[in-house]
Amino acid sequence: MVLQVGNEFPEVILKYIPYDSAQSEECGLPQVLDTKKDFAGKKVVIFGLPGAFTPTCSAQHLPLYVAKAEAIKAKGVDRIVCVSSNDYFVLDAWGKQNKVKDKITMASDANGELGRATGLSLDLSKMGMGSQRLTRFAAIVVDGKVTHLSVEPNPGE
């Protein structure tokens, strides 16, 4: 199944390390983000990327969301979630490098569960990046239902 507008967002357990201003260098303890429970009754912007610290994602994608986070939340968005195929420690470090702070939840799909559940996975093994990466996408999820979805048209090119 490929995720579409009108679908329920699949229930997946992701992990993230919450922002803590007292921990500028070290990592905190990972927390669970349950997309069913934590998206219920909320308006969420979730965007997926193939990898943290990759040139395009680092130069264009994450910085754009960080810069526009306040404007996005001003439109009634309760939470912005960045999800990538890296582990939560890597995402925490990438968030710190990009001064994400508490603007965006940096969530890990290291096991590829979200990619498989949404049909938005990408095989980048020919590039040495593994066979379970997320394609670039952005979705608006309102009370668990996808109301907008944009997917990169030619991933991996």
Side-chain angles (χ1 to χ4, degrees), residues 120-139:
L120 298 174
S121 63
L122 183 62
D123 183 349
L124 294 177
S125 56
K126 288 182 182 178
M127 298 174 65
M129 293 178 65
S131 62
Q132 286 294 317
R133 292 289 178 149
L134 284 170
T135 192
R136 289 183 188 95
F137 76 91

Side-chain angles (χ1 to χ4, degrees), residues 75-92:
K75 294 182 181 211
V77 171
D78 298 295
R79 187 175 205 169
I80 303 170
V81 178
C82 171
V83 62
S84 180
S85 304
N86 303 96
D87 69 68
Y88 42 80
F89 292 118
V90 169
L91 285 162
D92 184 58

Side-chain angles (χ1 to χ4, degrees), residues 57-77:
C57 296
S58 292
Q60 296 176 20
H61 300 117
L62 182 59
L64 178 68
Y65 281 94
V66 173
K68 296 188 180 260
E70 287 181 32
I72 292 169
K73 288 183 177 180
K75 294 182 181 211
V77 171

Side-chain angles (χ1 to χ4, degrees), residues 15-45:
K15 291 199 174 179
Y16 71 101
I17 296 177
Y19 171 71
D20 183 347
S21 62
Q23 294 185 324
S24 62
E25 297 295 322
E26 59 280 336
C27 290
L29 297 174
Q31 303 295 311
V32 168
L33 175 68
D34 179 332
T35 58
K36 182 153 182 90
K37 183 182 88 158
D38 294 323
F39 290 10
K42 304 247 177 4
K43 185 175 187 179
V44 178
V45 168

